[in-house]
Amino acid sequence: MIYYKNGRWGVSVLFSLEGSVFPKAAAISLPCATFAFLLSYFGEHHVDRETTGAGVLWAGYNMLLGFLIVFRTNPAYSRFWEGTSL
């Protein structure tokens, strides 16, 4: 159990790392953000603009991701309504 200390308006709770998901989230997101920045920087400054297939790949990726989100949330939505009617 985490024991919280009363700070000034409880703001100290926002910046505590004990019991927080921030370190794990930062460990996952910072390398991804760094890779995305480097890819964007080198893609913009050091590669010619003849990448016509990137738009098609991006559209296909977005369509696949949209279907995955819809098919994942639909069962969750139906389970929610089934749980509310019990």
Side-chain angles (χ1 to χ4, degrees):
M1 180 171 187
I2 300 171
Y3 294 103
Y4 295 103
K5 298 175 186 170
N6 292 335
R8 186 173 182 185
W9 297 303
V11 177
S12 63
V13 174
L14 294 176
F15 298 109
S16 69
L17 293 179
E18 184 182 349
S20 176
V21 297
F22 182 74
K24 187 173 181 179
I28 294 171
S29 64
L30 286 178
C32 294
T34 304
F35 179 69
F37 171 75
L38 291 174
L39 189 63
S40 173
Y41 176 76
F42 287 117
E44 185 176 321
H45 296 294
H46 300 291
V47 178
D48 56 348
R49 293 291 181 179
E50 297 298 323
T51 55
T52 56
V56 174
L57 288 174
W58 184 251
Y61 171 74
N62 282 335
M63 187 173 75
L64 177 68
L65 188 64
F67 277 117
L68 287 175
I69 289 172
V70 166
F71 289 129
R72 179 72 179 149
T73 56
N74 195 14
Y77 186 71
S78 63
R79 281 194 307 263
F80 169 77
W81 283 109
E82 182 182 344
T84 58
S85 64
L86 293 177

